[in-house]
Amino acid sequence: MTWHAVSPLDALPRDRAVAALLDDHQIALVRLADDQVFAVDHLDPFSGAHVMARGIVGSATVDGVEVPTLSSPMFKQAFDLRTGRCLADDSKCLAIWDVRLRDGMIEVRSRVPGAAEDRPEVAS
Amino acid sequence: MSELVKHVVVIGGGMVAHRFVEALRSRGESGLWRVTVIADEPRPPYDRVALTTYFTGRDPEDLHLGDDALWQDPMVNLRKGIRATHIDRDGRQVRLATGETIDYDHLVLATGSYAALPPVEGNDLRGCFVYRTIDDVAALRGYVEALRRERPGQPVRGAVVGGGLLGLEAAGALRELGAQSTVVEFAPRLMPLQVDDGGGAQLRSLIEALDVQVRTGTATAKVLGARRGLVTGMRFADGPDLDVDVVVFATGVRPRDELARSAGLAVGERGGVVVDLSCGTTDSAISAIGEVACIDGRVWGLVAPGYAMAEVVADRLLGGSATFPGADSSTKLKLLGVDVASFGDAFATAPGCLEVVYADAVAGVYKKLVVSDDARTLLGGILVGDASSYAALRPLVGTELAADPSVYLVPDTGGLPLGDDLPDEATVCSCNNVSAAQVRGAVTDGGCCSLAEVKSCTKAGTSCGSCLPLVKKLADTALEAAGVAVSRGLCEHFELTRAELFNAVQVTGARTFSEIVERHGRGRGCDICKPVVASVLASLYGGHILDGEQGTLQDTNDHMLANLQKDGTYSVVPRIPGGEVTPEGLIEIGRIAKDFDLYTKITGGQRIDMFGARVEQLPLIWRRLVDAGFESGHAYGKSLRTVKSCVGQSWCRYGVQDSVAMAIRLELRYRGLRSPHKLKLGVSGCARECAEARGKDAGVIATEKGWNLYVGGNGGFTPRHAQLLAEDLDDEGLIRAIDRFFVYYIRTADRLQRTAPWLEELPGGIDHLRDVVLDDALGIAADLDAAMEQHVASYSDEWRDVLEDPEKLARFTSFVNATDVPDPTLRYEQERGQRRPVLVAGDRIEVRG
Ligand code: SRM
Ligand SMILES: Cc1cc2nc3c(=O)[nH]c(=O)nc-3n(C[C@H](O)[C@H](O)[C@H](O)COP(=O)(O)OP(=O)(O)OC[C@H]3O[C@@H](n4cnc5c(N)ncnc54)[C@H](O)[C@@H]3O)c2cc1C
Ligand code: SF4
Ligand code: FES
């Protein structure tokens, strides 16, 4: 599983997401106000359209902890950015990608061997 | 249907019959009875109490009672336009005017009353009317309008015989029809049954100030007629004749008890079917309820006691043992815009009781409270000119007042000790006999979470509406006390409602989400509160919606300035103000659609929608539109959508104003205006209403003299007809009224609350709105005007602004690392000569689970 350089951090607006293309796989990159970056699948599992990067970035309280979220612009389900878990429906989640920053460049790596769109092991 | 199901037949399809059917069907054991309602009038039961609103432009259908589900219930059979003619008690059958007979196990008489026609010579001339049914008021209106057509330029002169509740309603109706009106009352004062001499005198001067003539202590001797049998005047026992064209008799009612009489049932001395406290007649298989019943020796001409009787009979049929709880004649009315209320022992008949009177002839107010001899217990009262304290005072009858009686009468002595401390047993809604305990219980035990739910669950506030402020207060207090479940806040980040947040932001002057959430909320926001804050900021400060941090708050549609489609592409709907478009414009739209291969459709809002534009194509499409003189438009966004227009005066042979020009003016004025929900307008060139303006948030209909403005209409999920706010406005007056209405709505409505539900929840409703918009009752009109001026002055084409700003433009790329590569998963197939999306990814995902 290799790291892919996707975009300079500076190209990303804060508290919003952008889409990126890796071969023919689409991911959503989210940069929070404090410059933490998350990468998840751009594919919205509810609508089947590649739109996640156009959702609203925010937060939700999960088990007493405030977690960063991304909500689908299509039907508004929110996903926990740390785990990809859908807060509205346990049976759906977003694949999440490892992210690191090298010289101002965002690099991502798939967590799962094989098909990138497979379900990830949920981290938490 | 099993044989165990019995059949109850109701004769009469009025207000009380409706309540009976509803009560019967809403109980658990309701499967025991099927019910047939025989209704003489050609329509379902309607709200007779609100009959006069027929003249203020309300659709008669708005008056209907009972939702469709009730009348479509297979256990309910409503037979309209059929009269029952005979009761065969031995055979337990009712005969109908059609000759048909119907068997019953139980019979309920709910035939109401006739309008009494006094035995005055000439009472049958053409031009004489009574005031009881929709047909009566429709006939009155038709006659007045016909007179006006026949004699243009001449005033129509009307008179009403009877100065009671009905008479003043009728006088109001004449005035609404633009006729002159004189009220003739036999007693020495107006509303002799409800108010005393002091109240009557005040009422008279208020009514006269409205250009309604009043003659009290006057007996009508004769209606004078001309040869064609038309009314020309009236003659009185003394005093000069009066020239009139129309006479409305409003001299009381007579129970429609003829069926009961001929069936041999006991009737009261002054009419009415005699019933006991269970509403049973002398035949155990027959009950009587409502205005036709004579209960405890008296016939009630009010709806509340009728409703109580309906509940009693429903309960009895289902095995209960309810009895008539008694009633009182408390009333609150708004007649010709004048408040009149009387309650409890209004005429101070209790021995030793005291009267505390407050009268201010300049302000036009007369208020009296009747209290016990120690001045502590409230016994009753009369309020004329200002009855705002009625809802709070009436439930206190029989209880000890918390303060000196005068405190309750003098205006501006600070908050009245009312509402929350109301005893549980106090009746809050007298129309529907709902106690404070029931309202509180609806929240604490019934799980209601809003005023609307409390209303539908308890029925409180659903008839005359005068108790609504009190019901709201009680419900709110109970909701707040319940605390846990019922945050009215926006979401987990804000405990404030949208209106509260608007206020808070306005007061603190905060300009960014970070600042706002820090001061008034918590966390980092979500897809609910962020767009709300964006909308509030847009309303307060204008500016581009993608400026700075605001861009992060926008929902995808506002973020991309286009409407998201199911495959992730967007639609573009060029603004076409008023639906007017040149042939060149049409051709260019066609070319753009062709060049980008966009699916094209004419919308329901008089413009053209082009679907299937990819993110990276949007700026290219806007460029083409801008060059052709268009702007892209809002088919998305909580903002102005379209101003629909008919063709109007320039072409249409019926048009009386230039509806297209006005629609264009309005659309250009309000475009881009951010609001709690979308806003739609319509402008019709005449009353034929081809633009369906009354289905819009603001509907404008041309008149000979100007424009009528209707507000609070919509289609969609819960269709509502707009209500008349103002008449015959000139262009500037119209725009000022819409400006103020919109800004007031924008500042006070809830998130995603359209104007109709907002208006419904607004305390005081359309009357209050009229006070604010036309009479500046809150003193905020200048502020509202300034807010709209700011919007108009700062408007700029959002889409063109993006084209001119590289930073904003940078958002419109498909991928951050491959800016022009289209989404590789988009697939299309052809249908009817255009493309449609095929959802490859969606199908796969859905199969997987
Ligand atoms: C295009 C159009 C249908 C058509 O092909 O004719 C349409 C399409 C949409 N309507 Fe509509 N409505 C369209 C006329 C209407 C009308 C008729 C009218 O305006 O005369 C109504 C009923 C009237 C009304 O609004 O009072 C209407 C009632 C709705 C509603 C229900 C609103 C309600 O109060 O219940 C929604 C949902 C909402 O707004 O929350 C809605 C929402 C939508 C959205 C925006 C849903 C969405 O978010 O994707 C649709 C997308 C439009 C797009 O992608 O471009 N649309 N929609 C019409 C655009 C008119 C225009 O030029 O702006
Ligand atoms: C203009 C106006 C304003 C009013 N304002 C108020 C107010 O503010 N507060 C208040 O409490 N009350 C008010 N009232 C009185 C209130 O409307 C009545 O008390 C109430 O409607 C009585 O209901 P009901 O069902 O007994 O009779 P109705 O509503 O009169 O219904 C009786 C129905 O039975 C039908 N019917 C009669 N005989 C037959 C037959 N043989 N076969 C078939 N159908 C038959 C009639 O056509 C009628 O539709 C007002 C009335 C009017 C006219
Ligand atoms: S509303 Fe009146 S003016 Fe407009 S098109 Fe229809 S008939 Fe003509
Ligand atoms: S008192 Fe009339 S609706 Fe409540």
Side-chain angles (χ1 to χ4, degrees):
Chain A
M1 283 162 288
T2 47
W3 288 96
H4 304 265
V6 216
S7 162
L9 177 67
D10 288 348
L12 268 58
R14 292 199 167 87
D15 271 348
R16 197 88 226 187
V18 298
L21 192 61
L22 295 178
D23 299 330
D24 59 1
H25 196 86
Q26 305 182 33
I27 61 172
L29 292 175
V30 183
R31 175 188 189 185
L32 298 188
D34 61 5
D35 281 351
Q36 272 192 82
V37 177
F38 294 91
V40 295
D41 264 5
H42 189 32
L43 179 69
D44 169 13
F46 290 92
S47 66
H50 286 83
V51 293
M52 285 309 299
R54 291 179 237 142
I56 284 181
V57 176
S59 72
T61 314
V62 176
D63 302 329
V65 185
E66 199 190 334
V67 306
T69 58
L70 176 65
S71 56
S72 162
M74 197 68 85
F75 302 120
K76 317 292 178 192
Q77 296 87 354
F79 296 84
D80 182 343
L81 277 173
R82 301 165 318 164
T83 62
R85 210 162 58 97
C86 175
L87 300 180
D89 179 348
D90 268 347
S91 72
K92 297 265 198 310
C93 67
L94 294 177
I96 53 173
W97 297 62
D98 289 328
V99 180
R100 71 179 183 193
L101 209 58
R102 285 270 159 113
D103 303 328
M105 245 345 238
I106 299 167
E107 297 185 351
V108 301
R109 179 176 73 176
S110 170
R111 287 231 181 144
V112 238
E117 68 268 31
D118 273 352
R119 293 264 171 84
E121 318 88 73
V122 173
S124 65
Chain B
M1 223 162 277
S2 101
E3 285 169 25
L4 290 175
V5 177
K6 291 196 272 187
H7 187 204
V8 53
V9 173
V10 183
I11 305 185
M15 297 185 75
V16 172
H18 159 253
R19 174 54 64 91
F20 168 74
V21 176
E22 201 181 54
L24 191 70
R25 293 302 304 150
S26 67
R27 311 253 179 131
E29 323 82 330
S30 57
L32 294 174
W33 292 92
R34 67 191 172 88
V35 41
T36 300
V37 179
I38 309 297
D40 196 8
E41 293 187 66
R43 47 181 62 83
Y46 58 89
D47 187 354
R48 203 178 299 290
V49 171
L51 190 62
T52 303
T53 60
Y54 177 83
F55 295 101
T56 47
R58 245 173 88 173
D59 188 327
E61 287 193 9
D62 288 350
L63 295 176
H64 287 176
L65 295 171
D67 48 20
D68 293 347
L70 183 69
W71 302 123
Q72 281 159 16
D73 184 334
M75 296 286 273
V76 177
N77 183 7
L78 170 64
R79 304 198 46 188
K80 296 178 283 195
I82 299 181
R83 197 156 42 83
T85 53
H86 179 79
I87 302 170
D88 170 8
R89 286 168 54 192
D90 297 331
R92 296 210 172 168
Q93 280 187 331
V94 174
R95 188 161 348 111
L96 308 183
T98 53
E100 196 184 337
T101 54
I102 303 188
D103 296 336
Y104 65 82
D105 296 302
H106 194 87
L107 181 66
V108 177
L109 297 171
T111 45
S113 311
Y114 288 110
L117 202 55
V120 169
E121 192 185 327
N123 68 11
D124 54 351
L125 289 170
R126 281 183 57 207
C128 287
F129 294 88
V130 292
Y131 201 78
R132 176 79 194 171
T133 63
I134 288 186
D135 287 345
D136 292 338
V137 294
L140 172 62
R141 166 186 239 161
Y143 192 77
V144 170
E145 283 172 356
L147 276 184
R148 183 162 311 117
R149 268 198 307 278
E150 279 167 26
R151 310 179 315 192
Q154 272 186 51
V156 177
R157 299 154 308 176
V160 176
V161 182
L165 142 73
L166 270 184
L168 294 183
E169 290 247 1
L174 284 174
R175 237 173 54 107
E176 288 292 342
L177 289 172
Q180 298 173 348
S181 75
T182 302
V183 173
V184 182
E185 167 59 49
F186 179 66
R189 61 169 183 270
L190 291 174
M191 296 194 72
L193 300 180
Q194 285 83 11
V195 305
D196 58 5
D197 287 336
Q202 184 57 65
L203 182 59
R204 178 185 188 131
S205 67
L206 287 170
I207 299 267
E208 283 175 340
L210 296 167
D211 265 354
V212 174
Q213 307 305 310
V214 177
R215 286 198 185 188
T216 52
T218 304
T220 304
K222 186 177 177 187
V223 180
L224 309 172
R227 232 179 272 125
R228 281 195 299 153
L230 301 188
V231 170
T232 56
M234 291 171 76
R235 179 152 302 156
F236 306 102
D238 51 336
D241 288 356
L242 183 68
D243 291 338
V244 290
D245 309 304
V246 179
V247 179
V248 183
F249 288 99
T251 46
V253 294
R254 198 160 45 78
R256 288 183 73 165
D257 55 14
E258 66 275 8
L259 282 178
R261 278 176 200 270
S262 55
L265 296 173
V267 288
E269 226 170 87
R270 297 165 68 187
V273 184
V274 172
V275 295
D276 58 22
L277 290 182
S278 72
C279 299
T281 65
T282 38
D283 178 336
S284 64
I286 305 181
S287 313
I289 58 179
E291 277 192 356
V292 74
C294 174
I295 195 161
D296 227 2
R298 126 159 231 198
V299 173
W300 289 92
L302 294 171
V303 71
Y307 280 176
M309 293 183 228
E311 300 277 352
V312 167
V313 174
D315 182 74
R316 293 255 165 183
L317 290 184
L318 299 175
S321 56
T323 54
F324 184 63
D328 73 50
S329 45
S330 299
T331 29
K332 175 181 170 216
L333 309 155
K334 202 179 186 80
L335 299 163
L336 295 140
V338 177
D339 274 350
V340 183
S342 95
F343 55 97
D345 185 9
F347 290 99
T349 57
C353 66
L354 306 169
E355 297 176 65
V356 186
V357 176
Y358 170 85
D360 180 345
V362 180
V365 178
Y366 172 90
K367 300 181 187 184
K368 178 179 89 173
L369 290 189
V370 180
V371 290
S372 57
D373 51 3
D374 58 0
R376 284 193 148 152
T377 306
L378 179 66
L379 300 178
I382 292 173
L383 307 167
V384 175
D386 169 18
S388 54
S389 51
Y390 170 79
L393 282 170
R394 195 197 156 274
L396 296 177
V397 169
T399 65
E400 272 201 16
L401 294 175
D404 186 84
S406 62
V407 171
Y408 296 84
L409 292 180
V410 187
D412 292 332
T413 43
L416 295 178
L418 303 164
D420 304 351
D421 47 353
L422 214 54
D424 262 352
E425 60 283 4
T427 303
V428 176
C429 172
S430 43
C431 286
N432 297 289
N433 205 4
V434 182
S435 65
Q438 282 168 287
V439 172
R440 292 179 176 132
V443 173
T444 49
D445 309 327
C448 296
C449 295
S450 67
L451 179 62
E453 286 175 31
V454 170
K455 278 170 69 180
S456 77
C457 148
T458 60
K459 302 259 174 300
T462 55
S463 301
C464 74
S466 65
C467 60
L468 263 183
L470 186 59
V471 175
K472 176 167 166 40
K473 191 156 178 196
L474 286 170
D476 283 354
T477 311
L479 285 168
E480 269 157 34
V484 265
V486 289
S487 163
R488 292 170 308 134
L490 279 174
C491 60
E492 70 164 274
H493 306 101
F494 287 96
E495 269 160 24
L496 306 178
T497 62
R498 182 190 172 282
E500 288 164 347
L501 189 63
F502 193 103
N503 216 351
V505 174
Q506 194 174 22
V507 170
T508 60
R511 279 176 175 259
T512 64
F513 181 79
S514 312
E515 207 179 333
I516 293 168
V517 77
E518 193 162 305
R519 275 178 196 246
H520 308 292
R522 67 178 90 85
R524 293 297 306 156
C526 63
D527 61 297
I528 293 173
C529 61
K530 282 188 159 179
V532 167
V533 169
S535 158
V536 169
L537 290 173
S539 300
L540 283 173
Y541 309 120
H544 198 279
I545 58 166
L546 298 183
D547 275 344
E549 200 207 35
Q550 271 195 62
T552 67
L553 308 178
Q554 309 292 354
D555 175 58
T556 190
N557 291 351
D558 275 308
H559 192 235
M560 290 289 131
L561 284 80
N563 193 74
L564 180 68
Q565 302 302 309
K566 62 194 286 186
D567 65 347
T569 62
Y570 290 80
S571 68
V572 176
V573 192
R575 187 180 304 289
I576 301 184
E580 187 182 78
V581 59
T582 60
E584 292 75 31
L586 270 180
I587 289 168
E588 186 53 24
I589 291 180
R591 272 205 200 100
I592 296 172
K594 194 155 185 242
D595 292 349
F596 290 88
D597 194 8
L598 303 173
Y599 167 82
T600 314
K601 180 179 182 304
I602 310 278
T603 72
Q606 299 190 329
R607 36 188 189 173
I608 298 165
D609 206 341
M610 300 182 284
F611 296 85
R614 299 189 307 271
V615 175
E616 70 278 12
Q617 291 179 319
L618 288 171
L620 305 173
I621 295 172
W622 298 338
R623 176 84 270 159
R624 293 274 302 269
L625 286 172
V626 168
D627 290 346
F630 288 99
E631 59 176 38
S632 189
H634 291 109
Y636 59 91
K638 305 303 168 228
S639 58
L640 176 82
R641 296 289 171 86
T642 65
V643 183
K644 183 168 177 171
S645 170
C646 75
V647 58
Q649 193 184 36
S650 355
W651 289 93
C652 175
R653 59 205 161 117
Y654 296 113
V656 291
Q657 303 285 348
D658 189 348
S659 49
V660 177
M662 180 51 79
I664 293 174
R665 191 167 166 196
L666 295 174
E667 181 148 353
L668 296 181
R669 186 171 181 80
Y670 302 122
R671 61 183 169 175
L673 182 69
R674 260 50 195 195
S675 47
H677 206 311
K678 62 189 179 191
L679 289 171
K680 295 184 177 181
L681 290 86
V683 185
S684 283
C686 82
R688 286 173 185 74
E689 248 283 73
C690 300
E692 300 174 303
R694 289 195 60 204
K696 305 294 176 200
D697 297 283
V700 179
I701 301 179
T703 68
E704 299 277 352
K705 292 183 230 150
W707 308 99
N708 284 355
L709 172 59
Y710 295 81
V711 297
N714 59 239
F717 186 68
T718 314
R720 282 277 177 275
H721 270 147
Q723 304 177 44
L724 184 66
L725 183 73
E727 288 177 286
D728 294 331
L729 297 166
D730 60 16
D731 289 7
E732 304 315 313
L734 172 71
I735 284 169
R736 196 174 330 111
I738 303 177
D739 282 359
R740 292 179 183 173
F741 160 59
F742 277 171
V743 179
Y744 191 43
Y745 158 72
I746 287 171
R747 294 188 172 181
T748 57
D750 256 337
R751 168 181 175 264
L752 295 187
Q753 184 178 42
R754 285 191 78 175
T755 54
W758 169 76
L759 195 54
E760 202 164 290
E761 295 246 310
L762 187 70
I766 185 93
D767 292 331
H768 169 73
L769 182 64
R770 199 173 289 125
D771 291 346
V772 172
V773 166
L774 301 180
D775 303 329
D776 194 12
L778 298 181
I780 56 171
D783 190 27
L784 301 179
D785 293 345
M788 189 60 85
E789 281 315 324
Q790 184 197 333
H791 163 75
V792 176
S794 65
Y795 180 79
S796 123
D797 176 341
E798 286 167 20
W799 301 269
R800 199 186 49 210
D801 292 345
V802 169
L803 297 175
E804 289 166 3
D805 178 346
E807 204 178 305
K808 295 194 176 91
L809 201 53
R811 293 167 198 263
F812 297 89
T813 52
S814 47
F815 299 104
V816 67
N817 57 347
T819 47
D820 292 329
V821 179
D823 175 348
T825 61
L826 295 176
R827 297 279 181 281
Y828 297 92
E829 63 192 13
Q830 289 289 312
E831 189 179 53
R832 291 186 296 278
Q834 298 196 70
R835 63 177 192 167
R836 52 172 278 170
V838 187
L839 265 184
V840 179
D843 294 341
R844 195 173 74 228
I845 289 288
E846 264 165 38
V847 174
R848 261 172 39 168

